[in-house]
Amino acid sequence: MARYQDFVGDLTDDEDFLELLDEVMEPRLPRIFRNRIDPFEIYNDKEFKRRYRLSKDVTNFIINEISPEISSQTDRNHALSASEQVIITLRFLATGAFLKLVGDHSGVDESTTSRVITKVIFALARIGPQMIQMPRTEAEKSVVRQGFYNIARFPRCVGALDCTDIKILSPGGRDAEVYRNRKSFFSYNVQAICDANLKILDIVTRWPGSAHDSYIFANSRIKHRFENGEFGDGVLLGDKGYAVTNYLITPLRTLVTPAENLFNQTHIWTRNPIERCFGVLKRRFPILALGIRLKSTKIQALIVACAVLHNIACELNDEAPDDINEDVEREIAAAIIDDDIIEDNRAHNVNNIVRQTLINQYFENLL
């Protein structure tokens, strides 16, 4: 205690004390406010879409939709506007780049970039229930059915079903291997249902890459909605990775009659929109094919956010960019699901009644 008093006594005035503080403490770095670009001003429509994967009109729609939730309450400290926050997030989804690079492109710090992306993707995910939903009214169901019927005259279809791998970094921990899929990379296995116009009607994002498609569907809410008769006599179309039921129609493995041949070919054409939907989604937002560099707590929200943006683009007739480089194309091709085949259960009449009726009473008459 005496030594401490002697030490304090040596400080004759406040200036001595401040000099000591300067010596023992690191000087604070000056704050730097970088120049921020306005892509709406400096890029034309084509250049804007190449960089942010959506048109200016669609981007403005998104800004207006979530602006109340993401806007700052004050302009102090050069606070980012809702428009700037959406632009930063779109750039991240368009490139899958490191946060540092995305921040440098937009003139903000890495930590700010991280906070902004988190805020925006969760805001988009929260409007998912309004933007991603199965047809509810009879009129809506009729429109969806007609869309599928127009492809190849397949009746009663209200959705095309499949799963796709969304690549991620290893989440670490003792459960990391659960996320390794059969192609040996880490992923989420995401289930989706779409309509004939590639609009996503239902999405499930919580399952790791090792989960099989049929297991995901068996444990999904949409399965129980079909079992409860919510969609009447409407059916889903799935591939051979699923077991056939009265509401999930899969193709036949063994073809005998011309009607069965016609059924299978029509089924393939009518189910094709879900494959195209996944391709468009990953071309529009390459981060889904290249790999998501975020914590697992944010990945599911990001995937739903991409689905919301995709649906908005579909509603506003905004076509996906076609300027994808070869690396992204390879990743998209590698992510196409090659389903394990479940043994065809045509012999089980209880599970097979709807499919056999369609073949015998409908496709026979088309020949």
Side-chain angles (χ1 to χ4, degrees):
M1 186 67 178
R3 291 182 61 186
Y4 174 75
Q5 291 174 340
D6 292 341
F7 172 72
V8 174
D10 290 338
L11 301 177
T12 56
D13 52 35
D14 289 342
E15 290 183 359
D16 293 333
F17 183 69
L18 292 176
E19 288 178 4
L20 177 63
L21 286 178
D22 287 340
E23 291 178 4
V24 299
M25 296 181 64
E26 293 183 4
R28 183 175 182 178
L29 295 175
R31 297 191 67 181
I32 299 175
F33 296 103
R34 306 172 188 172
N35 292 327
R36 298 171 185 165
I37 64 171
D38 184 356
F40 288 98
E41 293 292 333
I42 66 175
Y43 299 129
N44 61 33
D45 290 340
K46 184 176 181 179
E47 292 172 335
F48 184 94
K49 192 167 185 176
R50 287 184 64 187
R51 287 166 172 82
Y52 302 102
R53 319 310 291 170
L54 296 171
S55 68
K56 290 183 180 181
D57 289 340
V58 174
T59 303
N60 277 320
F61 179 90
I62 294 162
I63 293 168
N64 293 331
E65 194 72 24
I66 64 174
S67 178
E69 188 167 351
I70 66 173
S71 294
S72 300
Q73 299 300 315
T74 176
D75 291 330
R76 291 179 60 188
N77 297 323
H78 291 239
L80 291 164
S81 66
S83 175
E84 289 170 326
Q85 293 180 60
V86 170
I87 286 295
I88 290 170
T89 304
L90 290 180
R91 185 62 180 170
F92 179 65
L93 299 178
T95 62
F98 291 105
L99 295 176
K100 180 67 174 174
L101 296 178
V102 176
D104 288 346
H105 174 82
S106 304
V108 298
D109 185 71
E110 181 180 3
S111 59
T112 302
T113 302
S114 177
R115 289 194 298 271
V116 164
I117 290 172
T118 300
K119 184 194 297 187
V120 173
I121 62 174
F122 275 95
L124 289 168
R126 277 190 283 273
I127 64 174
Q130 290 78 48
M131 297 295 180
I132 305 172
Q133 54 184 342
M134 294 289 291
R136 294 168 297 176
T137 66
E138 289 304 318
E140 290 174 346
K141 294 173 187 175
S142 178
V143 169
V144 174
R145 286 189 184 205
Q146 189 63 45
F148 281 112
Y149 182 83
N150 291 342
I151 296 174
R153 300 174 68 185
F154 199 104
R156 297 169 46 185
C157 179
V158 295
L161 168 72
D162 205 353
C163 290
T164 188
D165 284 313
I166 301 298
K167 194 173 185 179
I168 64 171
L169 297 184
S170 171
R174 63 182 181 180
D175 295 327
E177 287 302 311
V178 175
Y179 290 85
R180 191 185 297 277
N181 60 32
R182 61 182 176 279
K183 298 172 187 173
S184 297
F185 62 83
F186 296 99
S187 70
Y188 275 85
N189 195 7
V190 175
Q191 174 183 283
I193 298 171
C194 79
D195 66 11
N197 299 315
L198 313 189
K199 184 179 177 182
I200 297 173
L201 306 177
D202 186 77
I203 191 166
V204 179
T205 63
R206 66 190 181 95
W207 293 95
S210 62
H212 192 275
D213 298 5
S214 60
Y215 182 83
I216 295 173
F217 181 72
N219 290 276
S220 65
R221 183 179 301 174
I222 193 68
K223 174 180 182 288
H224 298 291
R225 292 175 67 185
F226 271 92
E227 287 183 340
N228 292 334
E230 187 173 332
F231 303 99
D233 65 348
V235 297
L236 294 172
L237 299 187
D239 59 24
K240 295 177 183 177
Y242 298 96
V244 63
T245 68
N246 289 341
Y247 50 82
L248 175 55
I249 306 300
T250 63
L252 297 166
R253 289 187 62 191
T254 305
L255 304 176
V256 178
T257 68
E260 290 178 343
N261 253 304
L262 179 60
F263 165 82
N264 258 29
Q265 191 59 57
T266 304
H267 184 286
I268 292 169
W269 288 337
T270 308
R271 200 189 69 85
N272 180 256
I274 189 62
E275 303 289 355
R276 291 168 50 215
C277 175
F278 289 145
V280 169
L281 185 65
K282 292 178 181 180
R283 281 177 174 83
R284 192 183 294 279
F285 305 115
I287 188 174
L288 300 177
L290 297 174
I292 303 174
R293 296 185 178 95
L294 289 179
K295 294 180 179 179
S296 57
T297 53
K298 303 177 184 179
I299 291 176
Q300 294 181 45
L302 183 145
I303 298 170
V304 173
C306 288
V308 168
L309 295 174
H310 168 83
N311 277 6
I312 292 174
C314 289
E315 286 285 343
L316 300 180
N317 298 315
D318 187 30
E319 295 184 1
D322 56 5
D323 57 329
I324 299 294
N325 63 44
E326 293 181 0
D327 291 337
V328 178
E329 284 287 6
R330 281 195 294 270
E331 292 295 341
I332 292 173
I336 296 175
I337 292 292
D338 180 21
D339 290 294
D340 297 328
I341 302 299
I342 294 178
E343 183 179 354
D344 180 66
N345 53 8
R346 181 169 48 171
H348 302 291
N349 293 327
V350 172
N351 290 335
N352 200 16
I353 242 174
V354 172
R355 183 172 67 181
Q356 208 59 48
T357 301
L358 282 171
I359 294 171
N360 294 338
Q361 297 184 11
Y362 178 77
F363 286 96
E364 282 279 3
N365 294 331
L366 295 181
L367 294 173

